Amino acid sequence: MPETKNIDTTYHSLTLSEVRPLTADSVMLTFNVPPHLEALYRFEPGQYLTLRTNIEGKRVSRCYSICSPIDSGDISVAIRQVEGGQFSSHAVNHFEADEEIEVMPPMGHFKLSPRRDGETVLISKLYVGIAGGSGITPIMSMITTVMKNEPSSRFVLFYANRSEQSMMFRDELTSMLAAFSGRFFCVPFFSEGAESEQLIHHAVASTLNNNTSSIASTDRPGIPVQIKTLLRELPDLSRADSWHLCGPQGMTDTLQQVLIDNAVSAGCIQRELFTADTQKSTTNKLDKNTQSEAGSQIKVIFEGESIEFRLSPKDDFVLNEALKIRDDLPHACQFGGCGTCKAKIVEGSATMRDNMALEDEEVEEGYILTCQATPTSPVLAISFDE
Ligand code: FES
C-alpha cells in the first residue's frame, strides 16, 4: 500500500507553454515550471499531475499522467476527451498557451525510477509496457526516460487502439523505433474495445510461451500484418525485469492474470488504472444496512473552518456532496487511488467502497478516503486538518 502521510496537496499556478493536439480528440499540455518550483515538480516516470481550473463558474480538478521524460526541462501531460468528461472536454477544446492552470506537485506510485543525476546509467534491463488507448501516457514517459538514461536497457510496448488515427504519440513512437532500433520495440493493435484487449492478452501469452504461430496465422482484423515478425523480434519477455500496465480496469485485471499464469512474478507487475473523468463514475451504491433512511449529519473541517450538511442514502459519497459546498477540499482521482482526499474521523464512523491508497495502519487510526466514504453513524465529523 502506498504511503499517504506526506502528500503535498498545494496547488501552484503554472503557465501553459504549449497546447499541442495529438489526435482529433486529445492534446498534450506542457507547463512552464519557474525555477523556484523546479524541485517541487521533479517527478518519476509514471507519475501524474492534478490539474484544477474553473469551468462554468466551478472549480473542477482531475489528474492526468505525465508523458514527458525526466530531466527534459518540460513537464507535460496528455489528455484524451472522454464522453461526458467535463475537464477533458474543456482541456481539449479551450485550453490555450499562456493560460495559467492550477497544478498540484507530481504524485503517484506507478513509476519506474532510473537514476536522475543527469548521467546515463550502465545497467541493462528489459521493461515491458502494455497500454490501452490513453494508457500510453505514463508509459511514454517511461520509454523516453529509459531510452535517454539507460543506453543498455530495452523497452517492449504492446499498444491497443481503436484505429491508427486514434493512436496518441503515433509519430513519436515511429521516430523512436527508427532511432532506437534493437532497444525499443512496439507491437500495435487496432481494434474496438474488448476485441483489442483480447488480442493483446493473446499476443502477450503467445510471446511468453514462445509460441506465436496461432496469433500469427489468424486473420482477425486489428492484427498487424507483420505480427509474426514483430513477435519473433522481441526479446525474451520471460526475462523482463518489470511489467507496467495502464488501461481500463478490465484489460489490466485480465493481463495481470495472464502474466501470473505465465510465471511472471506478481512483484514485477505494476498497473495504473485510468482516471475517471465523469461525475457519474463515483455514483454511490449505498449499503442500506449501514445507513438509516434518515441519513446522516455530516460535518467537514478544513483549514480551521467547518461546513455541515445532511447526507441521505440516495446521495453521493461524502466528498462529492461536500464539494458542492466547498470546492477547494483536497481531492484528485476520485476513485480511491491517490490518497489526496484523506481525512480523519473525529466523530462517528464510515465505510469505504474502495481503498487503494491508505495503509492499514492509517485506517486503524481513523483515516478515510472521503471520495469513497459513506457514513455508518447518524453523525459523521471528519477533519482534513489532522
Ligand atoms: S481523490 Fe484520490 S483517493 Fe480520493
Side-chain angles (χ1 to χ4, degrees):
M1 280 276 191
E3 175 62 70
T4 60
K5 282 180 179 163
N6 299 315
I7 287 179
D8 183 348
T9 58
T10 312
Y11 283 98
H12 298 270
S13 244
L14 298 186
T15 305
L16 276 173
S17 58
E18 187 184 11
V19 178
R20 180 160 72 88
L22 291 173
T23 62
D25 62 354
S26 66
V27 287
M28 183 171 80
L29 309 179
T30 300
F31 294 96
N32 184 2
V33 180
H36 71 282
L37 292 177
E38 271 173 12
L40 196 58
Y41 283 84
R42 292 184 86 178
F43 62 92
E44 302 295 346
Q47 290 193 295
Y48 63 84
L49 296 177
T50 306
L51 313 184
R52 185 167 74 178
T53 194
N54 277 308
I55 303 174
E56 296 170 3
K58 292 194 75 174
R59 281 196 282 200
V60 182
S61 59
R62 292 291 181 273
C63 38
Y64 294 101
S65 295
I66 298 167
C67 57
S68 42
I70 62 169
D71 303 325
S72 67
D74 286 336
I75 187 161
S76 307
V77 297
I79 301 177
R80 164 164 277 155
Q81 183 171 2
V82 298
E83 197 181 337
Q86 191 180 22
F87 196 106
S88 63
S89 298
H90 186 84
V92 169
N93 298 305
H94 299 293
F95 278 163
E96 292 180 345
D98 298 327
E99 194 169 340
E100 290 205 340
I101 311 286
E102 291 182 288
V103 184
M104 242 186 236
M107 59 175 75
H109 305 275
F110 180 71
K111 55 189 176 185
L112 170 136
S113 303
R115 270 171 42 189
R116 50 153 61 250
D117 56 5
E119 295 179 6
T120 54
V121 182
L122 295 177
I123 55 174
S124 176
K125 286 194 171 182
L126 172 60
Y127 304 98
V128 186
I130 308 180
S134 57
I136 186 63
T137 310
I139 291 174
M140 196 68 192
S141 178
M142 294 178 176
I143 297 168
T144 49
T145 299
V146 167
M147 289 302 113
K148 183 176 169 225
N149 289 18
E150 296 182 32
S152 299
S153 291
R154 294 164 296 165
F155 206 113
V156 175
L157 170 67
F158 292 86
Y159 187 14
N161 281 281
R162 291 192 305 275
S163 66
E164 197 168 349
Q165 289 66 38
S166 70
M167 187 177 179
M168 294 166 77
F169 299 109
R170 180 181 53 174
D171 294 345
E172 288 84 350
L173 292 169
T174 304
S175 300
M176 284 200 297
L177 280 170
F180 301 110
S181 173
R183 293 184 54 218
F184 174 56
F185 306 83
C186 179
V187 186
F189 295 92
F190 302 112
S191 185
E192 289 290 342
E195 177 75 359
S196 60
E197 293 171 16
Q198 287 164 12
L199 294 176
I200 285 205
H201 300 155
H202 191 28
V204 169
S206 301
T207 315
L208 276 167
N209 290 318
N210 198 19
N211 174 18
T212 57
S213 52
S214 67
I215 192 165
S217 62
T218 181
D219 56 0
R220 289 158 79 177
I223 300 262
V225 286
Q226 72 281 33
I227 189 74
K228 197 168 185 170
T229 315
L230 278 174
L231 295 177
R232 279 194 179 153
E233 274 180 359
L234 300 186
D236 178 1
L237 299 189
S238 66
R239 303 169 77 97
D241 293 278
S242 58
W243 293 75
H244 306 271
L245 322 178
C246 187
Q249 182 158 12
M251 172 187 169
T252 56
D253 278 350
T254 312
L255 266 169
Q256 189 164 7
Q257 199 54 50
V258 166
L259 295 179
I260 288 168
D261 291 347
N262 284 279
V264 174
S265 156
C268 295
I269 306 169
Q270 258 202 330
R271 65 179 189 140
E272 180 88 315
L273 303 177
F274 276 156
T275 300
D277 188 28
T278 62
Q279 297 299 325
K280 288 187 198 114
S281 62
T282 53
T283 297
N284 196 352
K285 304 281 187 290
L286 289 180
D287 179 350
K288 301 292 181 195
N289 295 323
T290 60
Q291 205 185 41
S292 74
E293 285 299 317
S296 302
Q297 185 68 17
I298 310 293
K299 181 177 180 182
V300 177
I301 302 160
F302 178 50
E303 294 180 337
E305 294 178 4
S306 65
I307 56 172
E308 288 201 35
F309 56 92
R310 278 206 79 72
L311 194 77
S312 76
K314 64 176 174 36
D315 288 333
D316 213 330
F317 290 115
V318 169
L319 176 71
N320 269 7
E321 293 303 314
L323 284 171
K324 292 175 183 170
I325 304 168
R326 244 196 109 159
D327 65 6
D328 61 342
L329 295 173
H331 68 287
C333 72
Q334 298 192 50
F335 60 75
C338 71
T340 314
C341 66
K342 182 180 84 166
K344 189 167 190 181
I345 295 176
V346 291
E347 183 182 350
S349 58
T351 184
M352 288 182 280
R353 184 181 66 175
D354 289 316
N355 171 24
M356 295 172 275
L358 293 180
E359 305 265 9
D360 291 346
E361 176 200 332
E362 292 174 287
V363 175
E364 279 162 24
E365 288 171 8
Y367 287 98
I368 51 167
L369 298 173
T370 55
C371 73
Q372 299 294 304
T374 300
T376 51
S377 55
V379 175
L380 173 67
I382 56 172
S383 171
F384 284 90
D385 296 346
E386 296 197 30

